[in-house]
Amino acid sequence: MDIQVRSAHKSFSGFPALVDVNLDIKSGELVALLGPSGSGKTTLLRVLAGLEFPDYGAIQFGGENMHGKPVRERRVGFVFQHYALFKHMTVLDNVAFGLTVRPRKERPGKDEIRRRAGELLELVQLGGLAGRYPHQLSGGQKQRVALARALAIEPRVLLLDEPFGALDAKVRKDLRRWLRELHLKTGTTMVFVTHDQEEALELADRVVILNHGRIEQVGTTDEVYDHPATPFVFDFLGTPNVFAGRVDGRIVTIDGDGQPIETHSIHPAGPVDIYVRPAEMQIVVSEKIGLAAVITDVQRSGPVIRLSARLDASGESLEIELPHASPEAGGYAPKRRIRVRPRHFSVFPRTGAPRPPALADVPEHASAEVRGRSRA
Amino acid sequence: MTDRIDHSLLDPPKLPFEPLIERNAVITEQPWVRWLLTASALLFLAGFLFLPLIAVFTEALRHGFGTYVEALQDADALAAIRLTLLTAAIAVPLNLVFGVAAAWSIAKFEFRGKAFLITLIDLPLSVSPVVSGLIYVLIFGAQGWLGPWLAANDLQVIFAVPGIVLATVFVTFPFVARELIPLMQSQGTEHEEAALSLGATGFQAFWRVTLPNIKWGLLYGVLLCNARAMGEFGAVSVVSGHIRGQTNTLPLHVEILYNEYNFAAAFAVASLLAALALVTLAVKTFLEHRYGDALAASHRH
């Protein structure tokens, strides 16, 4: 079922939780709502579910207006962060609950209900635990029971609030893969909330990044990662290095670097901040280009080497990530002098300067048309 | 155990062993102090709690079991028992419904005046029972606000059963609600939201999800409510009028018998109330033992 959200606003006693949110979710999509705490992502999910109502704005499921419809009429599966399993019921009864509360005319027979609940338990690989009570299950098992229970009502949309938040890292990884498979198998439209960018990028078809109740960007993993629409998105998806510089048309000049960089996109002239991920820094051999810096620390972390360096010109520190396999990797040591330059970057108007809305992300090799921006 | 702890205590190492024990003794007093404190506590318990209880039963049975049974089979005593049971049978279910409704609305919804409502629920606990009784006399009595209208319609509230029931309902109102509010607040609304999202109606969510979650707390509240409903003296005394065989509850009957120097009968009837108290305590202890976890949340007030 496709979902449209049109200029939804919601505030809690004066605190704006959602500000002019517009969002289109296609049928069968797996979408992540990503943002820091207090960004409004859970509120948006609850508004979709009908557990909260927007102050104004419209929500449509497959073209049908959901205005004023409470949660029980929306047929959405909602999986709560702490599962909210009914602790006085067995696993099977939990899963069957949604079928047993149907009005008598629509309710399947007792055996049919048991059979369907049993099938769902097989689907979530818990067939053997039907007779257990929730307190006898592990966190991951509870999570899957909660999912089976939500799926029992054949929901038009499955909404998950921080589905892996309360689980340990290993279980979380397994469940993530498993949820992805479940999505492929059932084809249900799924929306989940997370504050973990890695989880969002790995699992979702598209990611909605929220901040202070506003949508900062909507896009595929590639789009939000390669073409972040705002400094916030860039910052949230990884700790960037930020350089001061200037831009004029296609020409970007980092302060302190003699050699300007030509980009494929055109920008209004003015001071900018240049955002570069640690992995997108390169060390250059030429003495004429790049910024002079001195290495302060070298750390090996699995397949990458992390260098910390201090820029000569500004004294600011800088993070660089290099693949461990790179030819020169062994030669870096503290106090060694290097010259660095960004390989890919995004430019944003200088913080504090008013931001023209048309200007967004500009990686060096990006086409002038920035894909993610039009939707954000 | 001491070995392990002493390793850390021996630092600095020169300190001798003995004083360390004493320094570690902030929670253990000298033996004679402990004995003295324990003994005085036990003596207090025995003197103020067990002795009266034993006294009630020994006094009741002083003139033999026959007299005891006879005192209970007295027509007035039987009437008092019936009235007490009737009062409890009306007041307890009413307060069960009121209490659950109040707790449900306070714990699961946000509305203006919530804090005021919570205070209001506590009112019967903070007002003297005599005042509670007087309120009803002032409203329903012959000189009260509704007195003339009631008299004109031949309705008797004060000095009759309705008055007794009203006073009992008022006095026992907080017990169920106070038991449930903290319990339901600690449980939050997630389970109900889950039930609603699965298509349950509000009533189904309450009946199949909320109620099973609170049932032990509810039973506990009902138990306390019942004990108070049967034992209430002050408020009922004001509105009852003490008409023998008609408006005397068990506690009032005890007082009348006692004032008539009919000690054996007084204690015999009193022993019924004491037995009720013991049964209540036993069931309460059993519930706490068996369902301690479910009750714990409600017992921190």
Side-chain angles (χ1 to χ4, degrees), chain B residues 49-67:
Chain B
L49 290 174
F50 295 128
L51 207 59
L53 201 60
I54 294 162
V56 168
F57 287 102
T58 49
E59 283 297 322
L61 294 166
R62 176 176 292 254
H63 301 292
F65 195 68
T67 330

Side-chain angles (χ1 to χ4, degrees), chain A residues 90-99 116-118 120-121 145 148-149 152:
Chain A
T90 61
V91 165
L92 191 79
D93 288 341
N94 263 283
V95 176
F97 184 87
L99 298 172
R116 275 162 67 176
L120 281 161
L121 281 178
V145 174
R149 183 177 70 175

